[in-house]
Amino acid sequence: MPYRSLRECVADLERTGQLVRIPDEVDAHLEAAEIHRRVFDAGGPAVLFERVQGCRFPMVSNLYGTIDRARFIFRETLDQVRRLVDLKVDPAEALRHPLRAARALPTAWAMRPRFVSRGPVTEFSTTVSALPQVQCWPDDGGAFITLPIVYTEDVASPGWRKSNLGMYRIQLSGGEYAPDREIGLHYQIHRSIGVHHARAIERGVPFRVNVFVGGPPALTLAAIMPLPEGLPELLFAGALGGRRVQLINQPGALPIAADADFCITGTVDPARQLPEGPFGDHLGYYSLAHPFPVLNVENVYHRSDAIWPFTVVGRPPQEDTAFGALIHEITGPVIPTVLPGVKSVHAVDAAGVHPLLLAVGSERYVPYAAERTPQELLTQANAILGQGQLSLAKYLFIAAGDDDPQLDLHDVAAFLQHVLQRVDWTRDLHFQTRTTIDTLDYSGTGLNEGSKLVIAAAGPPRRELRRELPSGFNLPDGFGDAQICLPGVIAIQAPSVEKTEPGNSAAQDLDRFCRSLEPGHPLWEFPLVVLVDDSEFVARSLNNFLWVTFTRSNPAVDISGGGAFNEHKHWGCRGPLVIDARIKPHHAPPLVPDPAVTKRVDHLAKHGGPLHGVI
């Protein structure tokens, strides 16, 4: 049977050897997060923290730390959910395979929520300060809920059918929040909760919010599903959980997930915001403090056997990587039906997800042309950037699948080489300037502000990619230590932006470097050059290259090239494309663990310790 509660899931993982208990007292301030990171990095089990310092609730983390464990947790319902997706993709499937379609009917019935008068979650009341105060990174602004399930409804059309279940981080303490009475509600742009919030403001009515923590794992996964606006995540939670979601009916208030472990209820004052953050986020940097809505707390409920689940985000890969993989397995087949001609898309986790999106499309507009050029690909790129959260992509590389039917988006190195062999920098760069980017991306010109770049490639290879450094070439003063990152890609260590001489700037460095590149220069043969602070680090691994290049650059500001030109408002270059991926003064600081906490955790891994042999 699918899990009816978080405790059932924890017990099952322990019974199958996929969970370890820590009986030692652990501090929720930094120490629990450090343990989680170490166990995750080792590919280890879920972790149950039995004794939390100063708190009576146990905690659990790393539940979904591997894709195999995530599949195991949802093993009894994944196939049925895929059947529903298949029917959505191809309704004729029901006619071709009626028995297979019939097996999906119980899942369809489970999608409808069931209202009840009471449930386990409202058995007891507590306060915000009595909850586990998990702080993951040294400079976080306080304690946060890192696996919140936030429920809202459309005030213009109340009821679950227009509801939203989303994962929007919640700050429990710190900053200017009144203890036990106020908590922070952070949501990024292009999230459905924003639509509900705007509707409440328009109508001048209170915006009610319920925050669930824990409960059946299906609730957690449903909260991060990229469903179309207007389609309630509760439907998906029921399908994935294999049973109808139990909602406690609350006259005059929002319903409460009966099987959750905790629930915080409250209202948002539309006229008031407080600084929320900083918070170590999934791009690998701190998102800084900015004004965000304040949730005025009314009630804090919990069940008798409550367990507090948490995760840690930071430079990928982290636990949310498994979530992304599972979501792709479920929703991947839908992409071609929503975006005609697009065969597949992949948000690259190692680059922080939104900074880099890869896509395979079709190029069918002029099949008789002597030279294949990106045409239909550009139509598809615009469609991708107009689709839900895909619209937050900063770099979009799209290639014609017809050129290589074996092209695999998840082999990122091979895909980038495919594009670099075919791209024409005089033609295939398409910028969007002064537009919206991910709220968490500080490479832009302001909060939510920056630029985008579409790179489209079609046709046969134009060049061979060099795999070795040329010998005997000169670089401008301050530039050096060239390193090969990938075939055709070279990293150059450039002057630190923080240490440039007065009157100099990152833009001047970039311009000075590009002016040194002329036809005949040995670097002219490399299609892509990246200017970085530490070229050895960037070239050390593919993940390092992806993270530095795409999280530390704003395309319209940080891209230039050899032989650059503007023609009819189209920018291109005849030589190498150059991306300035150095840290700039306006960037957010990267995440660094506290060494003292790391040392404290080491004792748990010693012989006889609960994590011996795990980390």
Side-chain angles (χ1 to χ4, degrees):
M1 283 288 293
Y3 308 120
R4 293 170 296 178
S5 68
L6 176 58
R7 187 163 287 274
E8 282 190 1
C9 176
V10 167
D12 192 32
L13 292 179
E14 184 171 32
R15 186 166 50 249
T16 53
Q18 300 182 76
L19 179 139
V20 62
R21 288 175 177 262
I22 298 183
D24 307 53
E25 186 174 74
V26 172
D27 194 343
H29 180 82
L30 302 182
E31 191 174 11
E34 175 69 14
I35 293 169
H36 168 97
R37 287 192 294 268
R38 300 269 290 275
V39 173
F40 172 82
D41 288 344
V47 182
L48 181 65
F49 300 85
E50 294 184 291
R51 295 170 57 212
V52 180
Q53 185 175 313
C55 180
R56 63 191 180 92
F57 298 108
M59 304 191 303
V60 67
S61 78
N62 206 37
L63 286 169
Y64 316 96
T66 68
I67 183 62
D68 288 340
R69 189 154 63 248
R71 291 189 188 116
F72 176 85
I73 288 172
F74 300 109
R75 64 194 181 279
E76 296 189 25
T77 54
L78 273 179
D79 284 346
Q80 291 95 317
V81 170
R82 291 190 186 108
R83 288 190 191 108
L84 285 177
V85 172
D86 288 345
L87 293 176
K88 169 65 176 173
V89 172
D90 183 8
E93 178 76 6
L95 298 177
R96 290 194 296 267
H97 303 287
L99 290 178
R100 186 169 184 260
R103 286 198 296 271
L105 291 178
T107 304
W109 170 249
M111 295 170 73
R112 185 182 177 86
R114 176 171 175 259
F115 282 89
V116 297
S117 59
R118 62 180 182 271
V121 71
T122 53
E123 287 180 315
F124 297 94
S125 295
T126 187
T127 61
V128 170
S129 57
L131 301 173
Q133 302 293 300
V134 178
Q135 181 169 333
C136 297
W137 296 98
D139 292 332
D140 282 353
F144 287 81
I145 306 177
T146 55
L147 284 176
I149 304 164
V150 181
Y151 181 85
T152 59
E153 292 183 359
D154 186 337
V155 297
S157 302
W160 68 268
R161 290 178 179 81
K162 293 289 182 71
S163 67
N164 174 246
L165 204 64
M167 191 165 287
Y168 313 112
R169 76 177 187 236
I170 303 295
Q171 184 167 348
L172 291 178
S173 65
E176 301 175 23
Y177 302 113
D180 288 323
R181 294 191 290 111
E182 296 175 335
I183 58 178
L185 171 61
H186 172 114
Y187 60 84
Q188 298 154 252
I189 61 170
H190 212 294
R191 297 298 195 270
S192 295
I193 188 175
V195 176
H196 287 175
H197 194 179
R199 201 72 56 89
I201 292 173
E202 288 171 5
R203 298 220 163 194
V205 298
F207 179 47
R208 303 199 66 84
V209 176
N210 283 355
V211 180
F212 311 134
V213 182
L219 280 175
T220 301
L221 185 58
I224 59 174
M225 281 296 296
L227 300 181
E229 185 178 318
L231 182 63
E233 288 79 9
L234 285 173
L235 295 177
F236 184 82
L240 194 62
R243 60 194 290 269
R244 298 171 70 182
V245 174
Q246 313 286 303
L247 294 178
I248 301 173
N249 206 0
Q250 298 261 107
L254 297 180
I256 293 175
D259 296 316
D261 285 67
F262 299 86
C263 175
I264 302 173
T265 71
T267 59
V268 172
D269 183 346
R272 189 161 180 258
Q273 297 85 39
L274 286 176
E276 185 269 356
F279 178 75
D281 229 310
H282 72 262
L283 267 68
Y285 308 90
Y286 286 98
S287 57
L288 305 180
H290 298 282
F292 277 96
V294 179
L295 182 63
N296 299 304
V297 176
E298 295 178 347
N299 302 287
V300 182
Y301 299 114
H302 70 91
R303 58 191 297 157
S304 60
D305 57 351
I307 302 174
W308 184 269
F310 75 95
T311 189
V312 180
V313 291
R315 181 191 160 182
Q318 297 289 343
E319 186 179 2
D320 52 0
T321 300
F323 275 135
L326 196 62
I327 288 170
H328 179 78
E329 288 183 7
I330 295 170
T331 63
V334 177
I335 292 294
T337 70
V338 176
L339 300 166
V342 177
K343 299 178 180 180
S344 56
V345 298
H346 173 43
V348 180
D349 183 71
V353 182
H354 290 143
L356 178 61
L357 185 66
L358 310 180
V360 174
S362 307
E363 192 50 70
R364 304 164 297 188
Y365 276 3
V366 191
Y368 50 82
E371 180 183 2
R372 283 166 54 81
T373 61
Q375 294 178 313
E376 186 181 7
L377 288 180
L378 300 182
T379 299
Q380 293 160 3
N382 285 328
I384 290 170
L385 293 178
Q387 184 69 33
Q389 293 184 30
L390 297 179
S391 67
L392 297 177
K394 183 168 61 174
Y395 285 87
L396 169 58
F397 286 68
I398 184 168
D402 322 65
D403 294 330
D404 180 1
Q406 304 304 314
L407 195 57
D408 179 6
L409 282 181
H410 294 273
D411 186 345
V412 176
F415 181 85
L416 291 178
Q417 290 172 56
H418 173 96
V419 170
L420 292 175
Q421 285 175 326
R422 292 163 173 80
V423 72
D424 179 351
W425 296 137
T426 68
R427 178 193 67 197
D428 296 335
L429 296 164
H430 306 276
F431 290 86
Q432 291 184 14
T433 60
R434 298 188 179 183
T435 186
T436 52
I437 61 173
D438 186 0
T439 303
L440 307 178
D441 191 334
Y442 283 83
S443 67
T445 51
L447 187 66
N448 300 322
E449 298 175 0
S451 60
K452 302 180 187 297
L453 174 61
V454 173
I455 297 176
R462 306 171 60 86
R463 62 180 67 84
E464 289 293 323
L465 301 179
R466 291 197 59 157
R467 297 173 179 268
E468 297 179 353
L469 282 172
S471 59
F473 63 93
N474 295 318
L475 295 172
D477 290 344
F479 294 84
D481 195 14
Q483 301 268 350
I484 295 286
C485 299
L486 293 167
V489 181
I490 191 168
I492 303 287
Q493 195 151 308
S496 169
V497 177
E498 295 285 356
K499 298 178 181 178
T500 53
E501 297 179 2
N504 199 3
S505 68
Q508 288 173 318
D509 280 339
L510 178 60
D511 181 63
R512 181 164 62 94
F513 179 82
C514 291
R515 281 191 282 108
S516 74
L517 299 178
E518 296 179 349
H521 192 290
L523 294 187
W524 199 265
E525 300 178 32
F526 286 82
L528 181 59
V529 176
V530 186
L531 303 182
V532 298
D533 295 299
D534 184 345
S535 56
E536 190 279 328
F537 171 81
V538 171
R540 194 182 304 161
S541 69
L542 174 64
N543 280 1
N544 286 359
F545 165 75
L546 295 170
W547 183 57
V548 169
T549 302
F550 299 105
T551 65
R552 298 181 183 178
S553 59
N554 178 14
V557 175
D558 295 323
I559 284 183
S560 189
F565 66 91
N566 274 291
E567 184 178 273
H568 306 312
K569 299 183 177 63
H570 175 83
W571 186 91
C573 62
R574 297 179 176 86
L577 187 75
V578 181
I579 301 177
D580 183 356
R582 294 173 292 170
I583 293 177
K584 319 297 191 306
H586 62 280
H587 288 185
L591 303 176
V592 179
D594 184 330
V597 175
T598 300
K599 280 188 176 181
R600 290 208 308 268
V601 171
D602 287 341
H603 80 275
L604 297 174
K606 292 180 179 178
H607 187 75
L611 295 180
H612 179 67
V614 176
I615 61 175

